Coordinates of all heavy atoms in Angstrom, one line a residue:
T71 N 0.8 -1.2 0.0 CA 0.0 0.0 0.0 C 0.9 1.3 0.0 O 0.6 2.2 -0.8 CB -1.0 0.0 1.2 OG1 -1.8 -1.2 1.1 CG2 -1.9 1.2 1.2
P72 N 1.9 1.4 0.9 CA 2.7 2.6 0.8 C 3.4 2.7 -0.5 O 3.5 3.9 -1.0 CB 3.7 2.3 2.0 CG 3.0 1.4 2.9 CD 2.2 0.5 2.0
K73 N 3.9 1.6 -1.1 CA 4.6 1.8 -2.4 C 3.6 2.2 -3.4 O 3.9 3.0 -4.3 CB 5.2 0.5 -2.8 CG 6.6 0.2 -2.1 CD 7.4 -0.8 -2.8 CE 8.3 -0.1 -3.9 NZ 9.3 -1.0 -4.4
G74 N 2.3 1.7 -3.3 CA 1.3 2.2 -4.2 C 1.0 3.7 -4.1 O 0.8 4.4 -5.1
C75 N 1.1 4.2 -2.9 CA 0.9 5.6 -2.7 C 2.0 6.4 -3.3 O 1.7 7.4 -4.0 CB 0.9 5.9 -1.2 SG -0.5 5.3 -0.3
M76 N 3.2 5.9 -3.2 CA 4.3 6.6 -3.8 C 4.2 6.6 -5.4 O 4.4 7.6 -6.1 CB 5.7 6.0 -3.5 CG 6.0 6.0 -2.0 SD 6.1 7.6 -1.3 CE 7.7 8.2 -1.9
E77 N 3.7 5.5 -5.9 CA 3.5 5.3 -7.3 C 2.5 6.3 -7.8 O 2.6 6.9 -8.9 CB 3.1 3.9 -7.6 CG 3.1 3.5 -9.1 CD 4.4 3.6 -9.8 OE1 5.5 3.4 -9.2 OE2 4.4 3.9 -11.0
L78 N 1.4 6.4 -7.0 CA 0.3 7.4 -7.4 C 0.9 8.8 -7.5 O 0.6 9.6 -8.4 CB -0.8 7.3 -6.3 CG -1.9 6.3 -6.5 CD1 -2.7 6.2 -5.3 CD2 -2.7 6.5 -7.7
L79 N 1.7 9.2 -6.5 CA 2.3 10.5 -6.5 C 3.2 10.7 -7.7 O 3.1 11.7 -8.4 CB 3.1 10.7 -5.2 CG 2.3 10.9 -3.9 CD1 3.2 10.8 -2.7 CD2 1.4 12.1 -3.9
H80 N 4.0 9.7 -8.0 CA 4.9 9.8 -9.1 C 4.1 10.0 -10.4 O 4.4 10.8 -11.2 CB 5.8 8.6 -9.2 CG 6.9 8.6 -8.2 ND1 7.7 9.6 -8.0 CD2 7.2 7.6 -7.3 CE1 8.6 9.3 -7.0 NE2 8.3 8.1 -6.5
R81 N 3.1 9.1 -10.6 CA 2.3 9.1 -11.9 C 1.5 10.3 -12.0 O 1.1 10.7 -13.1 CB 1.4 7.8 -12.0 CG 2.2 6.6 -12.2 CD 1.3 5.4 -12.6 NE 2.0 4.2 -12.4 CZ 1.5 3.0 -12.8 NH1 0.3 2.9 -13.3 NH2 2.2 1.9 -12.6
S82 N 1.2 11.0 -10.9 CA 0.4 12.2 -10.9 C 1.3 13.4 -11.1 O 0.8 14.6 -11.1 CB -0.4 12.3 -9.6 OG -1.2 11.2 -9.4
G83 N 2.6 13.2 -11.2 CA 3.5 14.3 -11.4 C 3.7 15.2 -10.2 O 4.1 16.3 -10.3
V84 N 3.5 14.6 -9.0 CA 3.7 15.3 -7.8 C 5.2 15.1 -7.3 O 5.6 14.0 -7.1 CB 2.8 14.8 -6.6 CG1 3.1 15.5 -5.3 CG2 1.3 15.0 -7.0
E85 N 5.9 16.2 -7.3 CA 7.3 16.1 -6.9 C 7.4 16.1 -5.3 O 6.7 16.9 -4.6 CB 8.1 17.4 -7.3 CG 9.6 17.0 -7.3 CD 10.5 18.2 -7.6 OE1 10.0 19.4 -7.7 OE2 11.7 18.1 -7.5
I86 N 8.1 15.1 -4.8 CA 8.1 14.9 -3.4 C 9.3 15.6 -2.7 O 9.2 16.1 -1.6 CB 8.2 13.4 -3.1 CG1 6.9 12.7 -3.7 CG2 8.3 13.1 -1.6 CD1 7.0 11.2 -3.7
K87 N 10.4 15.6 -3.4 CA 11.7 16.1 -2.9 C 11.5 17.6 -2.3 O 11.0 18.4 -3.1 CB 12.7 16.1 -4.0 CG 14.1 16.5 -3.5 CD 15.1 16.4 -4.7 CE 14.7 17.1 -5.9 NZ 15.7 16.9 -7.0
G88 N 11.9 17.8 -1.1 CA 11.8 19.1 -0.5 C 10.4 19.6 0.0 O 10.3 20.6 0.5
K89 N 9.4 18.7 -0.2 CA 8.0 19.1 0.2 C 7.8 18.7 1.7 O 8.5 17.8 2.2 CB 7.0 18.4 -0.7 CG 7.1 18.8 -2.1 CD 6.4 20.1 -2.4 CE 6.6 20.6 -3.8 NZ 6.0 19.7 -4.8
R90 N 6.8 19.3 2.3 CA 6.3 18.8 3.6 C 5.3 17.7 3.3 O 4.5 17.8 2.3 CB 5.5 19.9 4.3 CG 6.3 21.1 4.7 CD 7.1 20.8 6.1 NE 6.4 20.0 7.0 CZ 5.6 20.5 8.0 NH1 5.5 21.7 8.2 NH2 5.0 19.6 8.8
A91 N 5.4 16.6 4.0 CA 4.4 15.5 3.9 C 3.8 15.2 5.3 O 4.6 15.2 6.3 CB 5.1 14.3 3.3
V92 N 2.5 15.0 5.3 CA 1.9 14.6 6.6 C 1.3 13.2 6.4 O 0.5 13.0 5.5 CB 0.9 15.6 7.1 CG1 0.2 15.1 8.3 CG2 1.5 17.0 7.3
V93 N 1.6 12.3 7.2 CA 1.0 10.9 7.2 C 0.1 10.9 8.4 O 0.5 11.1 9.5 CB 2.1 9.8 7.3 CG1 1.4 8.4 7.3 CG2 3.0 9.9 6.1
I94 N -1.2 10.5 8.2 CA -2.1 10.4 9.3 C -2.3 9.0 9.6 O -2.8 8.2 8.8 CB -3.5 11.1 8.9 CG1 -3.2 12.6 8.6 CG2 -4.5 10.9 10.1 CD1 -4.5 13.3 8.1
G95 N -1.8 8.6 10.8 CA -1.8 7.2 11.2 C -0.4 6.6 11.2 O 0.4 7.0 10.3
R96 N -0.1 5.7 12.2 CA 1.3 5.2 12.3 C 1.3 3.7 12.3 O 2.1 3.1 13.0 CB 1.9 5.8 13.6 CG 1.1 5.5 14.8 CD 1.7 6.0 16.1 NE 0.7 6.1 17.1 CZ 0.9 6.4 18.4 NH1 2.1 6.8 18.7 NH2 0.0 6.4 19.3
S97 N 0.4 3.1 11.6 CA 0.3 1.6 11.7 C 1.6 1.0 11.1 O 2.3 1.6 10.3 CB -0.9 1.1 10.9 OG -0.7 1.3 9.5
N98 N 1.9 -0.2 11.5 CA 3.0 -0.9 10.9 C 2.9 -1.2 9.5 O 3.9 -1.4 8.8 CB 3.3 -2.2 11.7 CG 3.8 -2.0 13.1 OD1 4.3 -0.9 13.4 ND2 3.6 -2.9 14.0
I99 N 1.7 -1.4 9.0 CA 1.6 -1.8 7.6 C 1.4 -0.7 6.6 O 1.6 -0.8 5.4 CB 0.4 -2.9 7.3 CG1 -0.9 -2.4 7.8 CG2 0.8 -4.2 8.0 CD1 -2.1 -3.1 7.3
V100 N 0.9 0.5 7.1 CA 0.8 1.6 6.1 C 1.5 2.9 6.6 O 2.4 3.4 6.0 CB -0.7 1.9 5.9 CG1 -0.9 3.1 4.9 CG2 -1.5 0.7 5.3
G101 N 1.0 3.4 7.7 CA 1.5 4.8 8.1 C 3.0 4.9 8.3 O 3.7 5.7 7.7
T102 N 3.6 4.0 9.1 CA 5.0 4.0 9.3 C 5.9 3.8 8.1 O 6.7 4.6 7.7 CB 5.4 3.1 10.5 OG1 4.8 3.5 11.7 CG2 6.9 3.1 10.7
P103 N 5.6 2.7 7.3 CA 6.4 2.6 6.1 C 6.2 3.7 5.0 O 7.1 4.1 4.3 CB 6.0 1.2 5.5 CG 4.8 0.8 6.3 CD 4.8 1.5 7.6
A104 N 4.9 4.2 5.0 CA 4.7 5.4 4.1 C 5.6 6.6 4.5 O 6.2 7.2 3.6 CB 3.2 5.8 4.1
A105 N 5.7 6.8 5.8 CA 6.5 7.9 6.2 C 8.0 7.7 5.9 O 8.7 8.6 5.5 CB 6.3 8.1 7.8
L106 N 8.4 6.5 6.0 CA 9.8 6.2 5.7 C 10.1 6.3 4.2 O 11.1 6.9 3.8 CB 10.2 4.7 6.1 CG 10.3 4.5 7.6 CD1 10.4 3.0 8.0 CD2 11.4 5.3 8.2
L107 N 9.1 5.9 3.4 CA 9.3 6.0 1.9 C 9.3 7.5 1.5 O 10.1 7.9 0.7 CB 8.2 5.3 1.1 CG 8.3 3.8 1.1 CD1 7.1 3.2 0.4 CD2 9.6 3.3 0.5
L108 N 8.5 8.3 2.1 CA 8.4 9.7 1.8 C 9.7 10.4 2.3 O 10.3 11.3 1.5 CB 7.2 10.4 2.5 CG 5.9 10.1 1.9 CD1 4.8 10.4 2.9 CD2 5.7 10.9 0.6
Q109 N 10.2 10.0 3.4 CA 11.5 10.6 3.9 C 12.6 10.2 3.0 O 13.5 11.0 2.7 CB 11.8 10.0 5.3 CG 12.8 10.8 6.0 CD 12.8 10.5 7.5 OE1 12.5 9.3 7.9 NE2 13.2 11.4 8.3
K110 N 12.6 8.9 2.5 CA 13.7 8.4 1.6 C 13.6 9.2 0.3 O 14.6 9.4 -0.4 CB 13.5 6.9 1.3 CG 14.7 6.2 1.1 CD 14.5 4.7 1.1 CE 14.4 4.2 -0.3 NZ 14.1 2.7 -0.4
A111 N 12.4 9.7 -0.1 CA 12.2 10.5 -1.3 C 12.5 12.0 -1.0 O 12.2 12.9 -1.8 CB 10.8 10.3 -1.9
N112 N 13.1 12.3 0.2 CA 13.5 13.6 0.6 C 12.4 14.6 0.8 O 12.6 15.8 0.7 CB 14.5 14.2 -0.5 CG 15.8 13.3 -0.5 OD1 16.3 12.9 0.6 ND2 16.4 13.1 -1.6
A113 N 11.3 14.1 1.3 CA 10.3 15.0 1.9 C 10.6 15.2 3.3 O 11.3 14.4 3.9 CB 8.9 14.4 1.8
T114 N 10.0 16.3 3.9 CA 10.1 16.5 5.4 C 8.8 16.0 5.9 O 7.7 16.5 5.6 CB 10.3 18.0 5.7 OG1 11.5 18.4 5.1 CG2 10.3 18.2 7.2
V115 N 8.8 15.0 6.8 CA 7.6 14.2 7.1 C 7.2 14.4 8.5 O 8.0 14.4 9.5 CB 7.9 12.7 6.9 CG1 6.7 11.8 7.2 CG2 8.4 12.4 5.5
S116 N 5.9 14.6 8.7 CA 5.3 14.6 10.0 C 4.3 13.5 10.1 O 3.6 13.2 9.1 CB 4.5 15.9 10.3 OG 5.3 17.1 10.1
I117 N 4.2 12.8 11.2 CA 3.2 11.7 11.4 C 2.2 12.2 12.5 O 2.6 12.5 13.6 CB 3.9 10.4 11.8 CG1 5.0 10.0 10.8 CG2 2.9 9.3 12.1 CD1 5.8 8.8 11.2
V118 N 1.0 12.2 12.1 CA -0.1 12.6 13.0 C -0.8 11.3 13.4 O -1.1 10.4 12.6 CB -1.1 13.5 12.3 CG1 -2.4 13.7 13.1 CG2 -0.5 14.8 11.9
H119 N -1.0 11.1 14.7 CA -1.6 9.9 15.2 C -2.6 10.3 16.4 O -2.8 11.5 16.7 CB -0.6 8.9 15.7 CG 0.4 9.4 16.6 ND1 0.1 9.6 17.9 CD2 1.7 9.9 16.4 CE1 1.2 10.1 18.5 NE2 2.2 10.3 17.6
S120 N -3.2 9.3 17.0 CA -4.2 9.5 18.0 C -3.8 10.4 19.2 O -4.7 11.0 19.8 CB -4.8 8.2 18.5 OG -3.8 7.4 19.0
K121 N -2.5 10.4 19.5 CA -2.1 11.2 20.6 C -1.5 12.6 20.2 O -1.0 13.3 21.0 CB -1.0 10.4 21.4 CG -1.5 9.1 21.9 CD -2.6 9.2 23.0 CE -3.1 7.9 23.6 NZ -3.8 7.1 22.6
T122 N -1.6 12.9 18.9 CA -1.1 14.2 18.4 C -2.0 15.3 19.0 O -3.2 15.2 18.9 CB -1.1 14.2 16.9 OG1 -0.2 13.2 16.4 CG2 -0.5 15.5 16.4
K123 N -1.3 16.3 19.6 CA -2.1 17.4 20.2 C -2.8 18.3 19.3 O -3.8 18.9 19.5 CB -1.2 18.2 21.2 CG -0.6 17.4 22.3 CD -1.2 17.9 23.7 CE -0.4 17.4 24.9 NZ -0.7 16.0 25.1
N124 N -2.1 18.6 18.1 CA -2.6 19.6 17.2 C -2.7 19.2 15.8 O -2.1 19.7 14.9 CB -1.7 20.9 17.3 CG -0.2 20.5 17.1 OD1 0.1 19.3 17.1 ND2 0.6 21.4 16.8
P125 N -3.5 18.1 15.5 CA -3.5 17.5 14.2 C -4.0 18.5 13.1 O -3.4 18.5 12.0 CB -4.5 16.3 14.3 CG -5.3 16.6 15.5 CD -4.4 17.4 16.4
E126 N -4.9 19.4 13.5 CA -5.4 20.4 12.5 C -4.3 21.3 12.1 O -4.1 21.6 10.9 CB -6.6 21.2 13.0 CG -7.8 20.4 13.4 CD -7.8 19.9 14.8 OE1 -6.7 20.0 15.5 OE2 -8.8 19.4 15.3
E127 N -3.6 21.8 13.0 CA -2.5 22.7 12.7 C -1.5 22.1 11.8 O -1.0 22.7 10.9 CB -1.8 23.1 14.1 CG -0.9 24.3 14.0 CD -0.2 24.5 15.4 OE1 -1.0 24.5 16.4 OE2 1.0 24.5 15.4
I128 N -1.2 20.8 12.0 CA -0.2 20.2 11.2 C -0.7 19.8 9.8 O 0.0 20.1 8.8 CB 0.4 18.9 11.9 CG1 1.1 19.3 13.2 CG2 1.3 18.1 11.0 CD1 1.3 18.1 14.1
T129 N -1.9 19.3 9.7 CA -2.4 18.9 8.5 C -2.8 20.1 7.6 O -2.9 19.9 6.4 CB -3.7 18.0 8.6 OG1 -4.6 18.6 9.5 CG2 -3.3 16.6 9.2
R130 N -3.0 21.3 8.2 CA -3.4 22.4 7.3 C -2.1 23.1 6.7 O -2.3 23.9 5.8 CB -4.1 23.5 8.2 CG -5.6 23.1 8.3 CD -6.3 24.1 9.1 NE -7.7 23.7 9.3 CZ -8.4 23.9 10.4 NH1 -7.8 24.6 11.4 NH2 -9.6 23.5 10.5
Q131 N -0.9 22.7 7.1 CA 0.2 23.4 6.6 C 0.5 23.0 5.2 O 0.8 23.9 4.4 CB 1.5 23.1 7.5 CG 1.4 23.8 8.8 CD 2.6 23.4 9.7 OE1 3.5 22.7 9.3 NE2 2.5 23.9 11.0
P132 N 0.6 21.7 4.8 CA 1.0 21.4 3.4 C -0.1 21.7 2.4 O -1.3 22.0 2.8 CB 1.3 19.9 3.4 CG 1.3 19.5 4.9 CD 0.4 20.5 5.6
G133 N 0.2 21.7 1.1 CA -0.7 21.9 0.0 C -1.6 20.7 -0.2 O -2.0 20.0 0.8
A134 N -2.0 20.3 -1.4 CA -3.2 19.6 -1.6 C -3.2 18.3 -2.3 O -4.1 17.9 -2.9 CB -4.1 20.6 -2.4
A135 N -2.0 17.6 -2.3 CA -2.1 16.2 -2.8 C -2.5 15.3 -1.7 O -1.8 15.2 -0.7 CB -0.7 15.8 -3.4
I136 N -3.7 14.7 -1.8 CA -4.2 13.9 -0.7 C -4.5 12.5 -1.2 O -5.1 12.3 -2.2 CB -5.5 14.5 -0.1 CG1 -5.3 15.9 0.4 CG2 -6.1 13.6 1.0 CD1 -6.6 16.6 0.8
I137 N -3.9 11.5 -0.5 CA -4.2 10.1 -0.8 C -4.9 9.5 0.3 O -4.5 9.5 1.5 CB -2.9 9.3 -1.1 CG1 -2.1 10.0 -2.3 CG2 -3.2 7.8 -1.4 CD1 -0.8 9.3 -2.5
D138 N -6.1 8.9 0.1 CA -6.9 8.3 1.1 C -6.8 6.7 1.0 O -7.3 6.2 0.0 CB -8.4 8.7 0.9 CG -9.3 8.3 2.0 OD1 -8.8 7.5 2.9 OD2 -10.5 8.7 2.0
V139 N -6.2 6.1 1.9 CA -6.2 4.6 1.9 C -7.0 4.0 3.1 O -6.8 2.9 3.5 CB -4.7 4.1 1.9 CG1 -4.1 4.4 0.6 CG2 -3.9 4.5 3.1
G140 N -7.8 4.9 3.7 CA -8.7 4.4 4.8 C -9.8 3.5 4.2 O -10.2 3.5 3.1
I141 N -10.3 2.6 5.1 CA -11.4 1.7 4.7 C -12.4 1.6 5.8 O -12.1 1.2 6.9 CB -10.9 0.2 4.4 CG1 -9.9 0.2 3.3 CG2 -12.1 -0.7 4.1 CD1 -9.3 -1.2 3.1
N142 N -13.6 2.1 5.5 CA -14.7 2.1 6.5 C -16.0 1.6 5.9 O -16.4 2.1 4.8 CB -15.0 3.5 7.0 CG -13.8 4.1 7.8 OD1 -13.5 3.7 8.9 ND2 -13.1 5.1 7.1
P143 N -16.6 0.6 6.5 CA -18.0 0.2 6.1 C -19.0 1.2 6.6 O -19.0 1.6 7.7 CB -18.1 -1.2 6.7 CG -17.3 -1.1 7.9 CD -16.2 -0.1 7.7
V144 N -19.9 1.6 5.6 CA -21.0 2.5 6.1 C -22.3 1.8 5.5 O -22.3 1.2 4.5 CB -20.9 3.9 5.5 CG1 -19.8 4.7 6.2 CG2 -20.9 4.0 4.0
D145 N -23.4 1.9 6.3 CA -24.7 1.3 5.9 C -25.1 1.8 4.6 O -25.0 3.0 4.3 CB -25.7 1.6 7.0 CG -25.5 0.9 8.3 OD1 -24.8 -0.2 8.3 OD2 -26.0 1.3 9.3
D146 N -25.6 0.9 3.7 CA -26.1 1.3 2.4 C -27.1 0.3 2.0 O -26.8 -0.7 1.4 CB -24.9 1.4 1.4 CG -25.4 1.9 0.0 OD1 -26.6 2.1 -0.1 OD2 -24.6 1.9 -0.9
P147 N -28.4 0.6 2.3 CA -29.4 -0.4 2.0 C -29.5 -0.7 0.5 O -30.0 -1.7 0.0 CB -30.7 0.3 2.4 CG -30.2 1.4 3.3 CD -28.9 1.8 2.9
A148 N -29.0 0.2 -0.4 CA -29.1 0.0 -1.8 C -28.1 -1.0 -2.3 O -28.2 -1.5 -3.4 CB -28.9 1.4 -2.5
S149 N -27.1 -1.3 -1.5 CA -26.0 -2.2 -1.9 C -26.5 -3.6 -1.5 O -27.1 -3.9 -0.5 CB -24.7 -1.9 -1.1 OG -23.9 -3.0 -1.1
P150 N -26.1 -4.6 -2.4 CA -26.5 -6.0 -2.1 C -26.0 -6.5 -0.7 O -26.7 -7.3 -0.1 CB -25.9 -6.8 -3.2 CG -25.5 -5.8 -4.3 CD -25.4 -4.5 -3.6
R151 N -24.9 -6.0 -0.3 CA -24.3 -6.4 1.0 C -24.9 -5.6 2.2 O -24.6 -6.0 3.3 CB -22.8 -6.2 1.0 CG -22.1 -7.2 0.0 CD -20.6 -6.7 -0.2 NE -20.6 -5.3 -0.7 CZ -19.5 -4.8 -1.2 NH1 -18.3 -5.4 -1.2 NH2 -19.5 -3.5 -1.7
G152 N -25.6 -4.6 1.9 CA -26.2 -3.8 3.0 C -25.2 -2.7 3.5 O -25.5 -1.9 4.4
Y153 N -24.0 -2.7 2.9 CA -23.0 -1.7 3.3 C -22.1 -1.4 2.1 O -22.1 -2.1 1.1 CB -22.2 -2.1 4.5 CG -21.2 -3.2 4.1 CD1 -19.9 -2.9 3.8 CD2 -21.6 -4.6 4.2 CE1 -19.0 -4.0 3.5 CE2 -20.7 -5.6 3.9 CZ -19.4 -5.3 3.5 OH -18.5 -6.3 3.2
R154 N -21.4 -0.3 2.1 CA -20.4 0.0 1.1 C -19.1 0.5 1.8 O -19.2 0.9 3.0 CB -20.9 0.9 0.1 CG -21.1 2.3 0.5 CD -21.9 3.1 -0.5 NE -22.6 4.2 0.1 CZ -22.0 5.4 0.4 NH1 -20.8 5.6 0.0 NH2 -22.7 6.3 1.0
L155 N -18.0 0.4 1.2 CA -16.8 0.9 1.8 C -16.4 2.3 1.3 O -16.6 2.6 0.2 CB -15.6 -0.1 1.4 CG -15.8 -1.5 1.9 CD1 -14.6 -2.4 1.3 CD2 -15.8 -1.6 3.4
V156 N -16.0 3.1 2.3 CA -15.6 4.5 2.0 C -14.2 4.7 2.7 O -13.8 3.9 3.5 CB -16.6 5.5 2.5 CG1 -17.9 5.3 1.8 CG2 -16.7 5.5 4.0
G157 N -13.6 5.8 2.3 CA -12.3 6.1 2.9 C -12.4 6.9 4.2 O -13.5 6.9 4.8
D158 N -11.3 7.6 4.6 CA -11.3 8.4 5.8 C -11.5 9.9 5.5 O -11.9 10.6 6.4 CB -10.0 8.3 6.5 CG -9.8 6.9 7.1 OD1 -10.8 6.2 7.4 OD2 -8.6 6.5 7.3
V159 N -11.2 10.3 4.3 CA -11.1 11.7 4.0 C -12.5 12.3 3.5 O -13.2 11.7 2.7 CB -10.1 12.0 2.8 CG1 -10.1 13.5 2.4 CG2 -8.7 11.6 3.3
C160 N -12.9 13.4 4.1 CA -14.0 14.2 3.6 C -13.4 15.2 2.6 O -12.8 16.2 2.9 CB -14.7 15.0 4.7 SG -16.0 16.0 4.0
F161 N -13.5 14.8 1.3 CA -12.8 15.6 0.3 C -13.3 17.0 0.1 O -12.5 17.9 -0.2 CB -12.8 14.8 -1.1 CG -11.7 13.8 -1.1 CD1 -11.9 12.5 -0.7 CD2 -10.4 14.1 -1.5 CE1 -10.9 11.5 -0.7 CE2 -9.4 13.2 -1.5 CZ -9.6 11.9 -1.1
E162 N -14.6 17.2 0.4 CA -15.1 18.6 0.3 C -14.4 19.5 1.3 O -14.0 20.6 1.0 CB -16.6 18.6 0.5 CG -17.5 18.0 -0.5 CD -17.5 16.5 -0.5 OE1 -17.2 15.9 0.5 OE2 -17.6 15.9 -1.6
E163 N -14.2 19.0 2.5 CA -13.6 19.8 3.6 C -12.1 19.8 3.3 O -11.4 20.9 3.6 CB -13.9 19.2 5.0 CG -15.3 19.3 5.4 CD -15.6 18.7 6.7 OE1 -14.6 18.4 7.4 OE2 -16.7 18.4 7.0
A164 N -11.5 18.7 2.9 CA -10.0 18.7 2.7 C -9.6 19.6 1.6 O -8.5 20.2 1.7 CB -9.6 17.2 2.5
Ligands
NAG367 C1 17.6 12.4 -1.7 O1 18.7 13.1 -1.2 C2 19.9 12.3 -1.3 C3 21.0 13.1 -0.6 O2 21.2 14.4 -1.2 C4 20.2 11.9 -2.7 O3 21.4 11.1 -2.7 C5 19.1 11.2 -3.3 O4 19.2 10.9 -4.6 C6 17.8 12.0 -3.1 N1 16.6 11.2 -3.5 C7 15.6 11.6 -4.3 C8 14.6 10.7 -4.6 O5 15.6 12.8 -4.6

């Protein structure tokens, strides 16, 4: 997943070197390796997690390339399964 995120950034023409990057979440399978890959690509990386005191302040600093790899089930009676999967980001607000 983290390598896929880097690939998305590359293919979208987003230059990483010298940029601020914020990773929300520090899981072993996504957040932490994503932060390491971004750092290896010469971004300046902040990791925001559940104990971060000022997440809004940190996430509002960088510009606007956002990748959402969150997975949440939400009720959806129109779906055959009764639910559908959505991400973490409210893109209108972000
Ligand atoms: C990151 O910086 C190092 C040290 O200057 C350099 O060797 C490396 O090629 C850079 N990597 C990228 C992806 O820009």
Side-chain angles (χ1 to χ4, degrees):
T71 301
K73 282 199 87 172
C75 293
M76 299 301 284
E77 187 66 28
L78 276 170
L79 290 169
H80 288 308
R81 291 193 194 186
S82 304
V84 176
E85 201 192 1
I86 298 169
K87 183 176 55 178
K89 298 280 173 61
R90 295 279 325 262
V92 177
V93 177
I94 301 176
R96 55 179 164 179
S97 72
N98 289 337
I99 57 163
V100 183
T102 297
L106 289 172
L107 289 175
L108 286 162
Q109 196 168 31
K110 214 169 95 183
N112 293 322
T114 301
V115 182
S116 304
I117 302 175
V118 170
H119 54 75
S120 56
K121 301 293 182 290
T122 300
K123 294 246 193 289
N124 52 348
E126 297 90 349
E127 195 184 308
I128 294 167
T129 51
R130 277 181 185 145
Q131 286 174 8
I136 300 171
I137 302 175
D138 187 355
V139 293
I141 300 175
N142 295 290
V144 294
D145 290 339
D146 183 0
S149 160
R151 293 168 299 193
Y153 69 94
R154 67 193 158 84
L155 295 176
V156 300
D158 290 336
V159 174
C160 175
F161 278 91
E162 290 75 28
E163 291 177 16

